[in-house]
Amino acid sequence: LLSNGDTIKQLLARSRYLLFKNPSKWTESQKHRAEILFVRFPLLKKAYDLAMALGDIFNKCKDKTVAFTKLGLWHNQVENSGIASFESVARSIAAHHTDILHYFDNNSTNASAESFNAKLKAFRSIFRGVRDTKFFLYRVMKLYA
């Protein structure tokens, strides 16, 4: 048993949700649990810090140039960490950084367009494809316009 009364298996299971939260939103028991967790699993602490740093870039930066430099610094931290999962994310960000930086213009994403596209695909699948394009577009206009 650990100092908070958990076994290691319980510690890992109960720490799941605190790893999705910012440390400022942790309760006292979550702070204690995180302290025990990060002492026992330092690589998990490193991964958590990288994830929170990336989230902070998107939540706090308002300027493209500042965000670009912070993303570059974050990329360097990922390379130094040696965590393969984050290296994959860093490569994706590096490959698409021009498109990603458009987010910092007015903090908007293409989520609404993606959602509408998913609705269209679902609507199309109901009818097992589209034979009459004009009628399909008429139905889409009536349902979603």
Side-chain angles (χ1 to χ4, degrees):
L1 288 177
L2 302 170
S3 63
N4 65 346
D6 292 343
T7 64
I8 293 178
K9 190 174 181 180
Q10 288 172 332
L11 174 73
L12 290 170
R14 293 174 181 170
S15 298
R16 178 178 176 202
Y17 295 108
L18 74 87
L19 294 174
F20 294 115
K21 292 168 119 179
N22 196 305
S24 63
K25 296 180 181 177
W26 286 346
T27 63
E28 287 302 317
S29 64
Q30 287 176 328
K31 287 178 187 176
H32 187 249
R33 185 171 285 130
E35 183 180 315
I36 296 169
L37 180 73
F38 292 148
V39 166
R40 288 198 168 264
F41 302 99
L43 188 61
L44 189 60
K45 168 76 169 142
K46 193 183 293 187
Y48 177 77
D49 289 341
L50 285 172
M52 289 296 115
L54 183 61
D56 285 346
I57 293 170
F58 283 95
N59 291 331
K60 295 180 181 174
C61 286
K62 303 292 182 204
D63 185 29
K64 265 186 180 181
T65 55
V66 173
F68 182 67
T69 54
K70 287 190 176 190
L71 282 172
L73 293 172
W74 182 82
H75 190 277
N76 292 341
Q77 288 177 341
V78 168
E79 285 179 348
N80 294 338
S81 73
I83 302 173
S85 300
F86 281 101
E87 289 173 3
S88 173
V89 172
R91 280 193 305 274
S92 294
I93 290 174
H96 303 285
H97 72 278
T98 54
D99 296 329
I100 291 170
L101 289 174
H102 288 303
Y103 170 80
F104 297 100
D105 287 334
N106 56 3
N107 289 352
S108 64
T109 64
N110 67 341
S112 59
E114 293 293 338
S115 173
F116 184 68
N117 191 27
K119 287 177 185 177
L120 283 179
K121 283 184 177 183
F123 185 67
R124 190 176 64 204
S125 70
I126 290 171
F127 297 108
R128 295 180 179 85
V130 175
R131 291 191 188 105
D132 186 0
T133 306
K134 288 177 93 176
F135 181 69
F136 174 74
L137 292 175
Y138 171 76
R139 293 287 306 266
V140 167
M141 180 190 70
K142 287 296 184 185
L143 286 172
Y144 298 113

